[in-house]
Amino acid sequence: MGFLREWRRRRRLRSARLDEALWARVTAKLSFLRGLSESDTGRLKDLVVLFLAEKEMHGAHGLQLTDEVRLSIAAQACLPILNLGLDVYQGWVGVIVYPGEFRVQKEEVDESGVVHTFEEELAGEAWPGGPVILSWEDVGLSERGYNVVIHEFAHKIHMDGGGGEDFPAARKGMDAEKWRKTLEEAYERFCADVDSGEPTFIDPYAAEHPAEFFAVMSEAFFTESAVLARDWPQLYGELALFYKQDPAGRGG
Ligand SMILES: [Zn+2]
């Protein structure tokens, strides 16, 4: 199976061509891609070609999926897997894009066992083994430290890659104990920072749950890497091992 998939991908890459003018236009808005070396950019483009071929993107609520929308989402989704490979996103195909925030029904069971249903407005959502849902308006709001595409795909990497509810499992070759401890301690420190009422550089939403902390810190890792490396050096080091990338070392 793996061999056949590889063969298909190689064949596809030989015949497919990325629209270079469109790539330049789309990535001009994604400043965190600027520091990539030529060979990294080449591998990112290959991943994007395969991502667009293997995943199915749908516009919802009348959103017209232009080539620009598709390419922008694919480029951002593929950055975290640049050195991990597309198989990390194996087992699901759907990416659904809404024009803006979308409403979802949520259910919560309180301590007395009563089920409460309520509606929530979301900028993005990821399902284990299922689709990624994004608000295009929020994708467009991406800035240093905030990136809804990387956030949701970090959840996918966590959900579909094993590990507990809180954090993804360490990668082969990593010190699993150090990985878990570093994340736990960083999460506790961050929650204490938020509780103290001091403004935090990282989105306080990261204090909601360890899994959210991992996703938000992944956004910062790729889009505000120098600051993360400076303020959270241990965490940065572990994320660099996990993603097999050193964005702060890229400059640019
Ligand atoms: Zn999240």
Side-chain angles (χ1 to χ4, degrees):
M1 268 311 281
F3 172 77
L4 193 60
R5 194 154 65 219
E6 274 313 303
W7 177 78
R8 268 205 210 98
R9 283 175 178 170
R10 273 201 303 275
R11 195 180 56 171
R12 201 186 305 270
L13 285 176
R14 274 199 300 272
S15 60
R17 208 162 296 282
L18 205 59
D19 180 339
E20 290 293 337
L22 184 65
W23 174 267
R25 207 159 62 235
V26 164
T27 55
K29 293 175 196 153
L30 306 172
S31 60
F32 49 91
L33 296 180
R34 245 167 249 160
L36 290 176
S37 69
E38 210 172 302
S39 81
D40 280 348
T41 304
R43 281 183 306 112
L44 183 64
K45 285 178 181 173
D46 283 353
L47 278 172
V48 165
V49 166
L50 296 174
F51 182 94
L52 288 172
E54 294 181 19
K55 302 298 176 204
E56 289 170 12
M57 257 189 234
H58 301 279
H61 285 185
L63 179 77
Q64 203 67 36
L65 275 190
T66 61
D67 287 345
E68 188 164 345
V69 172
R70 288 161 45 80
L71 191 64
S72 175
I73 290 172
Q76 296 176 75
C78 288
L79 179 64
I81 56 160
L82 181 61
N83 293 329
L84 304 176
L86 194 56
D87 285 351
V88 169
Y89 294 153
Q90 206 60 37
W92 59 276
V93 292
V95 180
I96 300 160
V97 191
Y98 282 87
E101 289 197 327
F102 48 94
R103 278 175 179 280
V104 290
Q105 288 269 356
K106 294 267 169 182
E107 256 185 21
E108 226 167 59
V109 186
D110 68 18
E111 291 105 68
S112 48
V114 178
V115 179
H116 300 266
T117 56
F118 55 96
E119 289 204 325
E120 210 172 20
E121 297 254 332
L122 297 178
E125 197 176 31
W127 290 82
V132 173
I133 308 163
L134 298 164
S135 144
W136 177 245
E137 190 187 3
D138 290 79
V139 174
L141 295 175
S142 82
E143 51 176 296
R144 283 177 171 273
Y146 176 76
N147 187 295
V148 68
V149 181
I150 292 176
H151 182 102
E152 297 309 330
F153 279 85
H155 279 317
K156 286 299 282 178
I157 291 169
H158 175 190
M159 287 168 173
D160 298 341
E165 193 192 311
D166 286 355
F167 300 120
R171 292 202 184 286
K172 231 162 93 185
M174 286 175 71
D175 180 338
E177 180 63 16
K178 190 176 172 210
W179 163 248
R180 194 183 49 79
K181 262 191 88 163
T182 304
L183 282 167
E184 277 172 8
E185 283 171 11
Y187 179 62
E188 272 169 37
R189 184 187 130 192
F190 184 76
C191 290
D193 286 356
V194 171
D195 285 344
S196 76
E198 288 286 310
T200 54
F201 158 73
I202 303 285
D203 188 347
Y205 177 70
E208 288 273 313
H209 188 277
E212 294 304 335
F213 181 73
F214 168 74
V216 171
M217 284 302 190
S218 295
E219 295 174 65
F221 178 74
F222 288 107
T223 68
E224 192 67 299
S225 50
V227 179
L228 192 73
R230 186 194 67 202
D231 292 354
W232 300 82
Q234 284 84 8
L235 178 66
Y236 179 88
E238 287 301 305
L239 288 172
L241 294 173
F242 181 81
Y243 285 113
K244 300 187 180 171
Q245 290 188 53
D246 180 16
R250 290 203 269 260

